[in-house]
Amino acid sequence: MSENNPFPNENNSGHVWDDNLRELLNDPPTWWRIGFHASWILVIVYTILYPSWPMLTTHYKGVMGWTAMGEYKEDLQSIEMVRAKYEEQLPNKSAAAIMADDDLSNYVVKSAKVLFGDNCGACHGTGGAGNPGYPVLADDDWLYGGTVNEIITSITNGRKGVMTAHGKSLSTEEIDELANAVMSGNPASSPLYMSKACFACHGPDGKGMAALGSANLTDGIYRFDEADQLASIKYTIKHGVNDASDPMTRNAEMPIFGGTKLTETDIKKLAIYVHKLGGGQ
Amino acid sequence: MSEAPNSSENSSKHFDELYDEIDHWEVNTGEETIHAKRMPGRFRNLKWLAASVWLVFFIGPYFRWEGRQAITFDIMGRQFHIFDITILPQDVWMLSLILLFFAILLAAVTSIAGRVYCGYFCFQTVWTDLFTWIEEKLEGKPAARRRAEKLPLSQQRLPRKILKHIIWIMIGAFTGISFTLWFGDAFEMWKAYFNNDVTMWAWGSVIVFTSFTYLFAGFMREQVCLWLCPYARIQGVMVDVDSIMPTYDFHRGEPRGRLKKGKHDADKGDCIECNQCYAVCPTGVDIRNGQQEGCITCGLCIDACDSVMDKINKPRGLVKYMSLDELNGKEQPPIYKRPRPLIYMSIMTLAAIGILYGLTHLGALELSVLHERSPLFVLQSDGSIQNKYELKILNKTHKDMKIGVRAEGHQSLTLVGADREIIAQPADTASFTVFVRIPKKELAGERESLSFKIYNLEDDKISAEYKSMFFGPRIR
Ligand code: SF4
Ligand code: SF4
């Protein structure tokens, strides 16, 4: 073909189509060649520096010793560094002292949010909204007291209050009367409240006693909150709470979180978090 | 030689002629350096005047206002100070309006008078102008420079050449440093530069600015306008037959012809083919070929041609600012009758109103309120319903502010948790939790509207308000 090249001395490849369409042997543009060489040099440099080539059982580690895990741990460490400033102060400070410090209690509330979600939210609901059968933590009605130290005790040791099942000792009419008195917000309005010794636990005015964990019967907030509240009260009076002698008794138990489950600092954080949900005293 | 058939040889000759025509580019693609002649004139003066606007860029950072830099873009502190006004990220919507305003301004100006920005204000033009001015001072007129270019390096006037490059680089560095001064305290930063005590970012910006100034204004020059600048690429859709731009009046100029023995041939047009318009063009454009993408509308060719016309006693304006319509003898509609500028200007007015509103309504305090969703509401032992709110308070002033909080919207609401001392730190958002209680029996519905007001305890004219909701149980 080259012997009848119609365009000699033109630096073409000798391929001619349609009489005059031919391929020239020009170099690619300089910028293109710079780009091309730069890219393969980059690949070599990169694969020397960073983990890259696969080998039979392992892989080439790269001279910089970089690993994704290492980077993650470094990030984690830098977060811990930020937290350390606060965390270091917590073990030696009382809950009250922490709450007096705006900065510190802000930190505690934020970091305890996760702890609460992991340990408490399942029963008490996010934000302490409560669930059927589990107390609301955002209100100011506390069975065992709502000071931060009382909350710490409740979390550390757990709670298991007892109310005797009165199904055997009271008639259905008596239970009805007592239940209605409780519903009205003034349990002492029924003479049965005194004569049947309800006051012994719930107090002469029906406001409950934090030492025993007995419920306040006057504030319209119910430990066992159900749609038909009257029926629910009757059930509680009849079968009691945690009364082993009655198989239909209500179960109400706050597990123990102290000891191996949570550290003292974590419990302190949680107590402050709960205290600040809206009802702390 | 080959013995190709005759027909093929003919046709290939024919095509080669076609290809040859392509060699005739009207735009220089960078293979030769353009050495534009410098000539005094009206537009030359205007160009210097317009370029001097850039002095603000260099002097601006040294202005003081109430003991600090008048205009600062504080990136680290995420705030922008311009005299008395502090703009925080929250106000950034104004920035988009400002950008809109200037984008449309550019479009409006282009539709009225073409690339005015390119010819007079653009940093590419201005810096290139400065660089070539220095070049001429050191290396002589264009003809001398062209001659020197062809000589081997050893025969050129090297000391001057080196001096030129040093001055170029210094201008570049000064440009870069001046740029960074807008982002901190100018005097402090100069000190820091001398002590090598500035951030990597600052050094990086200086290096980038220096090298790009040197490269763009020293070497690439008009090539930036021709191949890099996006504005140049879209100007075709922004101008129309009524946009006034430097134009060669070919009705008057053609057929062009050289002066013979200083005499003008009667049947020739006014253009004497002196090529001065081409010689002065900084982008190497021959305006006599008509309006074209290479032209940055600097008007220098008008100056050049006017001076020639003066010499041969012809009226000025063979090359002048005019629109295509005017050139073709049609009537030029006034600006207020052209839809394009009108639309642009109404958009600009809207944007300007928005910016003005924003600037006058910046406020010193800002409040936003998050209503706690979980639980939405809580029954308290005194029979009231409690809602929890997180108040986010932004203090836009430079001083600590003691904040008072009020809640309004229900006659028997109680605000709990707002009686302690609330201090908002400057240019920072602080969040505080408060509770609102309303007796259950006084709630009319499941939700009530509620508004929170915060105010500066020392000056209750500084205040902010936020509308929120109060939720209660379903009324049975
Ligand atoms: S043609 Fe004239 S107006 Fe356009 S860039 Fe050249 S000198 Fe400037
Ligand atoms: S400067 Fe004027 S007269 Fe000279 S070539 Fe250009 S248009 Fe023609």
Side-chain angles (χ1 to χ4, degrees), chain A:
Chain A
M1 200 177 241
S2 53
E3 54 273 11
N4 50 5
N5 188 339
F7 307 98
N9 314 322
E10 194 201 36
N11 189 26
N12 62 32
S13 65
H15 296 127
V16 181
W17 299 269
D18 294 344
D19 300 336
N20 57 15
L21 191 58
R22 66 267 189 201
E23 180 186 28
L24 301 186
L25 292 171
N26 290 339
D27 281 338
T30 318
W31 67 262
W32 187 92
R33 272 185 295 166
I34 293 173
F36 171 74
H37 292 299
S39 15
W40 68 256
I41 291 169
L42 180 77
V43 169
I44 304 254
V45 172
Y46 183 91
T47 54
I48 290 172
L49 293 181
Y50 286 97
S52 46
W53 308 110
M55 302 201 272
L56 270 188
T57 51
T58 164
H59 60 86
Y60 170 68
K61 299 277 191 303
V63 295
M64 302 228 311
W66 180 91
T67 60
M69 205 33 153
E71 189 171 309
Y72 165 72
K73 285 194 176 133
E74 258 171 47
D75 285 356
L76 210 60
Q77 218 165 25
S78 63
I79 295 172
E80 296 291 347
M81 292 265 284
V82 176
R83 297 170 50 129
K85 174 170 114 194
Y86 302 105
E87 289 287 342
E88 279 164 4
Q89 303 181 41
L90 296 182
N92 307 324
K93 277 199 170 165
S94 73
I98 294 170
M99 288 207 298
D101 181 336
D102 266 349
D103 218 23
L104 207 52
S105 55
N106 264 343
Y107 166 78
V108 164
V109 167
K110 289 205 172 88
S111 85
K113 192 170 183 182
V114 179
L115 277 175
F116 188 86
D118 288 350
N119 296 289
C120 322
C123 294
H124 291 290
T126 23
N131 269 321
Y134 301 96
V136 176
L137 299 180
D139 63 19
D140 62 348
D141 179 273
W142 301 93
L143 292 171
Y144 292 92
T147 67
V148 74
N149 286 330
E150 285 165 325
I151 298 172
I152 289 180
T153 314
S154 297
I155 301 173
T156 312
N157 303 332
R159 295 291 186 185
K160 190 173 183 182
V162 175
M163 168 163 164
T164 327
H166 292 85
K168 296 198 184 83
S169 56
L170 297 176
S171 69
T172 314
E173 291 74 33
E174 284 169 330
I175 291 178
D176 284 357
E177 184 185 327
L178 276 168
N180 278 308
V182 169
M183 262 304 259
S184 76
N186 184 8
S189 62
S190 158
L192 289 170
Y193 184 73
M194 294 310 256
S195 61
K196 295 296 176 187
C198 304
F199 73 93
C201 292
H202 289 286
D205 50 2
K207 289 208 156 75
M209 294 185 204
L212 298 171
S214 57
N216 182 343
L217 302 177
T218 63
D219 61 5
I221 298 175
Y222 299 100
R223 170 65 183 83
F224 303 99
D225 191 11
E226 285 163 28
D228 185 350
Q229 196 55 53
L230 188 61
S232 164
I233 296 170
K234 287 179 192 166
Y235 188 98
T236 311
I237 299 175
K238 194 167 174 194
H239 300 290
V241 180
N242 295 328
D243 183 345
S245 69
D246 188 331
M248 288 172 74
T249 192
R250 290 197 187 268
N251 287 313
E253 182 177 359
M254 163 84 185
I256 298 168
F257 282 89
T260 51
K261 259 191 178 162
L262 290 176
T263 66
E264 262 178 55
T265 307
D266 281 350
I267 290 177
K268 215 184 291 177
K269 283 185 180 174
L270 276 174
I272 294 171
Y273 179 82
V274 168
H275 188 266
K276 284 183 174 282
L277 282 176
Q281 287 160 347

Side-chain angles (χ1 to χ4, degrees), chain B residues 81-92:
Chain B
H81 301 281
I82 168 164
F83 298 103
D84 248 353
I85 304 169
T86 299
I87 295 175
L88 295 173
Q90 283 76 5
D91 308 311
V92 89

Side-chain angles (χ1 to χ4, degrees), chain B residues 248 270-277 288 304-305 308-309 318-319:
Chain B
Y248 166 68
D270 278 355
C271 175
I272 58 165
E273 267 201 298
C274 64
N275 283 338
Q276 291 299 298
C277 54
R288 290 168 302 171
C305 190
V308 173
M309 290 298 119
L318 177 54
V319 182

